Amino acid sequence: MTISDVARVAGVSVATVSKVVNNRYGVAPSTAERVLGVVADLGYESSLVARSLRRQSTNVIGVLVAEFEPYSTELLKGISSAVDGTGYELLAYSGGSDGGALGGWERRSLSRLAGTLIDAAIVVTPTMVLSEANGIPVVAIDPHTGPEGTHTVDSDNTTGAREAVEHLIALGHRRIAHLGGRTDLESARLRELGYRQALDAAGITVDPTLVRVGGYRSDTADTPARELLSAPRGERPTAVFAANDLSAMHVVEVAAELGLHIPEDLSVVGFDNVPETAMVEPPLTTVAQPLHRMGAEALRMLLDILHDTPREQHLRLPTSLVVRSSTGPAPTE
C-alpha cells in the first residue's frame, strides 16, 4: 500500500496525504479526517527510512540480541511493557551468528539499523565494549566485558551464585559441581567466583574435576554434564550448580537418562529463573534475575540519554534464590 493509493481513494493529492500523516499544517480538518479514515482502512504506513530522512528520527528503539532464546525473550518482555506511553516503538533484531559466538555481531547490526531505522539501541550481551555507536545512544544489558564503556544494566551475579551454593551446602552437600557458562562472558566468570567463595567460606576445597564449562547452551552442556554424572558413586557430585537455567534443565534430562533421581540422588540449581523452570519436572531451584526489570531499566536509561537527562551509567540489580523441588538433602553414602 502506497501513499499514492491513499491519495487516489481519498480524492486528494499526494502532498496533502503527506501533510496529514506527518501532522503538518495546511489541511482542512474535514479533509484530514477523510484522509486518516482512508489510511486506517487501507492499513497504510509511511516508510521508516523516508520518515527518518524527513525528520532525522524514527521514534523507534532497536533491541538487538544474538538470538531469541528464553533469557533475551524475558528481557524483551520487560522492555516492551516499559515502552508503552513513551511515544517510541520497538524493533527487535537478531543479529548473531552461531548463537552469537562470532564476535562483532552487534557492530554489524548497528551499522545496518542506526540512523535510518532506529534512533537508539538496547544491546543484549554484546561481545565488545560499546560507546555511542554509529551516532546513536546505546545501553548494554549484561555485556561480556562487564560495566565499562557505554551505559550498562546487569544483575549481581556473584552474590546470586554464592547464595545458590550456600543453599546446597546447608542441605549437607559437599561434592558440588559447577557447570559454568561461556568463558568469554563476565557473568560466567562472576558466577564461578560466587561458587568458589561459598565453598571457601564453608571450608570445602574446590575439586577441579567438578568444575566444567557448559557454555550456557543445552548442546554445549551435554558432554560435560554426562562426564560429571557418569562418574562412580563416590566421585560423582551430589549437587550441580549450573550457570544458567538452560544448562541446569539439561542436567536434569541427563540425570534421568542415567537413572538418577532428582533430588534424591542429585540436586540441581540453575540461574536466571526463566518461565520454563517452573514447568519442568521437578520444578527447578534457581537464582532469579529480575529480567523484566532489567529490560525496563535499560529502556528508562536509554530514554534518559535521548532526553539529555542521564543519571547513573552502570546499574546492577539484586538477585534472589527461588527454592523449588530440584534440591534436597545430600544422599547418604
Side-chain angles (χ1 to χ4, degrees):
M1 193 58 57
T2 68
I3 192 170
S4 298
D5 296 321
V6 175
R8 175 177 51 79
V9 175
V12 298
S13 68
V14 169
T16 297
V17 176
S18 178
K19 288 180 180 180
V20 172
V21 298
N22 289 289
N23 297 312
R24 294 202 295 266
Y25 295 105
V27 180
S30 59
T31 302
E33 184 178 355
R34 185 168 76 253
V35 170
L36 291 175
V38 173
V39 166
D41 290 341
L42 299 183
Y44 170 73
E45 285 287 347
S46 61
S47 164
L48 278 177
V49 175
R51 194 191 312 171
S52 71
L53 292 173
R54 289 192 302 268
R55 302 180 183 174
Q56 299 301 307
S57 69
T58 63
N59 274 24
V60 176
I61 290 172
V63 183
L64 279 57
V65 301
E67 60 177 330
F68 293 110
E69 35 70 44
Y71 172 80
S72 61
T73 300
E74 291 305 302
L75 291 171
L76 186 58
K77 290 178 183 177
I79 299 168
S80 179
S81 296
V83 81
D84 286 346
T86 65
Y88 286 88
E89 298 175 350
L90 294 181
L91 173 67
Y93 185 87
S94 175
S97 174
D98 190 24
L102 183 62
W105 65 267
E106 54 283 288
R107 286 221 183 271
R108 293 190 297 274
S109 300
L110 285 167
S111 69
R112 292 169 183 155
L113 304 176
T116 55
L117 291 178
I118 60 174
D119 292 339
I122 296 170
V123 186
V124 178
T125 58
T127 60
M128 59 180 63
V129 176
L130 296 172
S131 54
E132 186 172 281
N134 294 83
I136 66 170
V138 173
V139 170
I141 297 180
D142 191 22
H144 285 214
T145 54
E148 56 179 301
T150 186
H151 290 69
T152 65
V153 177
D154 63 9
S155 68
D156 192 346
N157 291 288
T158 305
T159 300
R162 187 169 61 245
E163 290 178 347
V165 178
E166 287 172 348
H167 168 65
L168 293 170
I169 293 171
L171 290 170
H173 295 277
R174 294 298 179 267
R175 289 189 60 76
I176 302 171
H178 178 50
L179 191 59
R182 283 174 47 174
T183 56
D184 61 329
L185 270 173
E186 177 74 353
S187 62
R189 186 189 70 79
L190 293 176
R191 290 171 198 178
E192 182 176 335
L193 175 63
Y195 162 81
R196 292 177 178 274
Q197 286 179 348
L199 292 182
D200 183 65
I204 302 172
T205 302
V206 176
D207 183 345
T209 66
L210 297 181
V211 180
R212 306 294 179 93
V213 175
Y216 281 153
R217 297 169 62 94
S218 298
D219 54 351
T220 54
D222 185 73
T223 296
R226 292 181 186 279
E227 290 173 350
L228 286 168
L229 302 188
S230 297
R233 181 179 174 85
E235 301 174 17
R236 190 176 66 225
T238 63
V240 175
F241 166 53
N244 76 334
D245 288 336
L246 290 180
S247 300
M249 289 187 287
H250 192 68
V251 169
V252 172
E253 292 176 3
V254 171
E257 291 178 20
L258 297 176
L260 299 176
H261 300 284
I262 308 291
E264 293 81 6
D265 300 319
L266 180 75
S267 288
V268 182
V269 181
F271 202 110
D272 285 337
N273 195 33
V274 297
E276 291 83 353
T277 58
M279 297 180 282
V280 296
E281 185 57 41
L284 186 70
T285 295
T286 186
V287 177
Q289 293 194 79
L291 297 177
H292 290 187
R293 184 184 170 196
M294 289 168 66
E297 291 286 1
L299 179 71
R300 188 266 308 163
M301 189 179 287
L302 194 59
L303 293 177
D304 284 348
I305 299 170
L306 286 169
H307 298 152
D308 294 320
T309 57
R311 285 175 272 178
E312 73 274 54
Q313 185 172 3
H314 305 296
L315 178 63
R316 176 159 291 168
L317 299 176
T319 60
S320 59
L321 183 67
V322 179
V323 178
R324 299 192 181 105
S325 304
S326 69
T327 52
T332 55
E333 294 296 335

